[in-house]
Each structure stands twice: as C-alpha cells, then as structure tokens.
Amino acid sequence: MLKKGLIIKIISDTFTVKVENDIYECKSRGKFRNINIKPLVGDEVLVDTEKLIINEILERKNVLNRPPVSNIDVALIVTSLKKPDLNLTLLDKLISIITINKITPVIVLTKLDLVSRNELKKLNEIFKYYQKIGIKVYTNKNIFKLKRYLKNKIVTVCGQTGAGKSTLINKFDKNLNLETDEISESLGRGKHTTRIVELFAIKNFYIVDTPGFSQIDINNYSKEEIKNSFIEFRKYECKYKNCSHEKEKDCQIINAVNNNEILKSRYDNYLKFMKE
Ligand SMILES: Nc1nc2c(ncn2[C@@H]2O[C@H](COP(=O)(O)OP(=O)(O)OP(=O)(O)O)[C@@H](O)[C@H]2O)c(=O)[nH]1
Ligand SMILES: [Mg+2]
Ligand SMILES: [Zn+2]
C-alpha cells in the first residue's frame, strides 16, 4: 500500500519517512538514481510501507543545495552580531538566494549580549531598514513571538558557523538537545558541529538544522534573478528599462542611495553580486 509521507531524515541511503504518526525507515527506488534525482529531506513522497521503499517524489515547491532540503517555507537567517562578527555581505547574499528560491527570508539576531549599548543603537538602524523593506527581524531572546510566526511552516536555518543556529533550535524545544559548540578561538570560527540534515518536529512546525558556512556562491544565479532579489529596488523605475543601476545617468536606484532611501551597504552588495 502506498502512503503519503514526509522525509524527515537521511543517513547515507536510509530515509526516515513520517506517515501521519508513524515513522518508517526506507530505501529509495533505483529509478531515482537512474534519472539522477535524490530524495531530499522535506520531500513529500509516496512510500510502500510494507516493502519500505520510496516509490515516488511529489512535486517540489523549491530545492536548496546547501542545506540539501526541499519544500521550505521560511529560512531563518541566523545572524550573529559578534563572535562571529556581523557580516552584511553574507546576510544580503543569503537574502538574495533565499528570495530567488521562493522562500521567505527571516532575520534572527543572536549574541545581542556581546555588543555594547552604543553599538546596538547603530545596529538597530540597520535592521530597521530590513524591516522597512518587508523582512521580519526577530532576536533569539524573544522565542515565543518567533514560534508563533512559524506555526504550520517548514523552516530551515542558515548563517555562519558559530552564529547560534543549533542553540536557537534547542531554545524552540528543550528536549532536542542538539549539539552546539564553543567557537574555536584560534580560528575565529566554529568547527561545524552539525553534520546530519534532519527535520525536527516542534509542536506545530518543522525545522531543519544545518551546518553553517561562511562562503556561498551566487554565481549559479542570473543577473536578472539577483537584480529582482533586491526587493526594495522593484518600486523604482529607471529611465532605461534594463538599467543595471551601476552608473547610468538618472538612475533612480543611485538617486535613492544618495538620498539615504536605500541602505548603502545593500547597494554595494548588489554591485558586488552582479560582478560575481
Ligand atoms: N553570548 C552568546 N552566545 C551564544 C548565543 N547564541 C549562541 N551562542 C553560543 O555560540 C556558540 C555556537 O553556537 P551553535 O548553536 O553551535 O552555532 P551553529 O550556528 O549551530 O554552528 P554550526 O553548527 O557550526 O554551524 C555556542 O557556544 C553557543 O552557546 C547568544 O545569543 N549569546
Ligand atoms: Mg549547529
Ligand atoms: Zn537604475
């Protein structure tokens, strides 16, 4: 009998599939390998619950490579303000990649306790801008608000190693007890404590923990996609329809940057990504 389920964990060639309230450890059918499709965490599948075989992967809403997951509604960009230091280029890059993949980006700030009040004031201005352009910003201090927002969603976390992704997920559900690690002081970065991709069921939503990364590529995406992923640019109309906003005369984007309507660092990152 074929039943519909959700892949919640993959360890080498064993797929853990949740079908209603039952869990099945399955293998995948050879045919997927032949057409070079690999079932992913987040996939809705039809499983043969007697033979314990995944028979079919249902159509995906989206697919991410890093982490390798599908059907994600929301990506929490876990953004550390210190240790590791705030990296606006990485933040903007993640926002772009997530947006291009039709996933809602949400910023979660961590390590507020490590910055001074003065610094916090400045940072506040920056994150007000992100809110203004329609991106939700939470902190890892107000877990209840965030949990309420995540209800009924499939969620992933991303962000630098050591940013506090696993720590955040542990805060969602104390029973999970995911391994977290002291950031290695000598390298100034963590050492990828998280290794397996797994969807964890939290009361009314799913979340996948992933190992962090400090480098990701944007060159898999077209210039058009990158341009569109800067959501706040969309409302401006430049003289030239294909304006690259680089140095054209009367470019509305450049004007908006000069008027402080568009955050300078966002614009600089835009130029950077277009070059990459
Ligand atoms: N001071 C402070 N430390 C934090 C905070 N959040 C997390 N940490 C610490 O930061 C370190 C790294 O946290 P992890 O949760 O392991 O980071 P991660 O993002 O999961 O890292 P990877 O799995 O390597 O990608 C741990 O020592 C945490 O205790 C915070 O808000 N403030
Ligand atoms: Mg982790
Ligand atoms: Zn322009």
Side-chain angles (χ1 to χ4, degrees), residues 166 179 194 209-210:
S166 301
E179 193 189 348
T194 307
D209 190 14
T210 69

Side-chain angles (χ1 to χ4, degrees), residues 87 90 159-161 189 192 212-216:
N87 181 337
L90 178 68
Q160 297 189 76
T161 191
R189 55 190 176 93
H192 292 308
F213 39 76
S214 38
Q215 263 195 324
I216 43 168

Side-chain angles (χ1 to χ4, degrees), residues 237-240 243-246 248 250-254:
E237 276 193 38
C238 296
K239 190 166 154 197
Y240 305 104
C243 186
S244 69
H245 318 316
E246 276 168 32
E248 289 89 341
D250 267 341
C251 167
Q252 294 306 311
I253 300 295
I254 297 177

Side-chain angles (χ1 to χ4, degrees), residues 192-250:
H192 292 308
T193 322
T194 307
R195 286 195 186 83
I196 305 166
V197 178
E198 176 170 3
L199 269 188
F200 298 105
I202 315 255
K203 233 187 187 168
N204 51 29
F205 64 93
Y206 280 103
I207 194 159
V208 56
D209 190 14
T210 69
F213 39 76
S214 38
Q215 263 195 324
I216 43 168
D217 302 329
I218 200 148
N219 44 24
N220 292 330
Y221 302 103
S222 72
K223 289 200 166 184
E224 201 52 36
E225 284 175 312
I226 296 169
K227 202 159 143 185
N228 283 328
S229 70
F230 279 76
I231 39 188
E232 71 268 49
F233 292 10
R234 292 179 193 166
K235 68 173 186 192
Y236 296 96
E237 276 193 38
C238 296
K239 190 166 154 197
Y240 305 104
K241 224 177 157 214
N242 296 325
C243 186
S244 69
H245 318 316
E246 276 168 32
K247 45 183 173 264
E248 289 89 341
K249 241 188 165 179
D250 267 341

Side-chain angles (χ1 to χ4, degrees), residues 72-227:
I72 297 291
D73 299 305
V74 170
L76 301 179
I77 308 177
V78 179
T79 305
S80 158
L81 300 179
K82 267 249 152 72
K83 286 192 170 185
D85 288 346
L86 176 63
N87 181 337
L88 289 178
T89 303
L90 178 68
L91 175 64
D92 287 340
K93 197 176 268 187
L94 287 170
I95 291 173
S96 284
I97 292 175
I98 290 162
T99 305
I100 293 169
N101 283 290
K102 299 188 171 62
I103 298 170
T104 306
V106 169
I107 298 171
V108 183
L109 303 175
T110 66
K111 315 211 185 184
L112 280 78
D113 52 303
L114 300 182
V115 290
S116 70
R117 212 174 269 176
N118 258 339
E119 280 176 289
L120 212 51
K121 253 190 189 163
K122 270 190 228 150
L123 293 167
N124 212 359
E125 289 306 309
I126 297 179
F127 290 104
K128 263 197 199 145
Y129 176 83
Y130 286 92
Q131 281 179 311
K132 196 183 82 185
I133 64 170
I135 298 175
K136 289 196 157 43
V137 180
Y138 292 91
T139 73
N140 66 346
K141 286 181 169 171
N142 202 333
I143 291 298
F144 277 108
K145 253 171 104 180
L146 182 53
K147 267 177 118 165
R148 206 177 319 133
Y149 168 74
L150 295 177
K151 194 175 165 187
N152 296 332
K153 298 186 168 84
I154 294 188
V155 183
T156 187
V157 290
C158 57
Q160 297 189 76
T161 191
K165 298 178 293 295
S166 301
T167 307
L168 177 72
I169 297 175
N170 282 336
K171 277 193 187 179
F172 284 139
D173 184 345
K174 301 232 156 38
N175 300 324
L176 285 176
N177 218 352
L178 302 180
E179 193 189 348
T180 62
D181 202 61
E182 282 300 322
I183 190 155
S184 108
E185 296 286 344
S186 57
L187 285 168
R189 55 190 176 93
K191 15 172 214 188
H192 292 308
T193 322
T194 307
R195 286 195 186 83
I196 305 166
V197 178
E198 176 170 3
L199 269 188
F200 298 105
I202 315 255
K203 233 187 187 168
N204 51 29
F205 64 93
Y206 280 103
I207 194 159
V208 56
D209 190 14
T210 69
F213 39 76
S214 38
Q215 263 195 324
I216 43 168
D217 302 329
I218 200 148
N219 44 24
N220 292 330
Y221 302 103
S222 72
K223 289 200 166 184
E224 201 52 36
E225 284 175 312
I226 296 169
K227 202 159 143 185

Side-chain angles (χ1 to χ4, degrees), residues 31-63:
K31 74 165 181 189
F32 297 129
R33 238 165 297 136
N34 298 338
I35 51 175
N36 214 357
I37 292 183
K38 213 177 153 263
L40 295 173
V41 166
D43 273 341
E44 283 195 299
V45 290
L46 298 181
V47 284
D48 184 325
T49 50
E50 271 145 34
K51 291 186 189 146
L52 297 176
I53 296 261
I54 294 176
N55 243 286
E56 197 175 327
I57 303 170
L58 302 183
E59 199 184 330
R60 292 167 173 164
K61 195 161 83 179
N62 52 43
V63 182

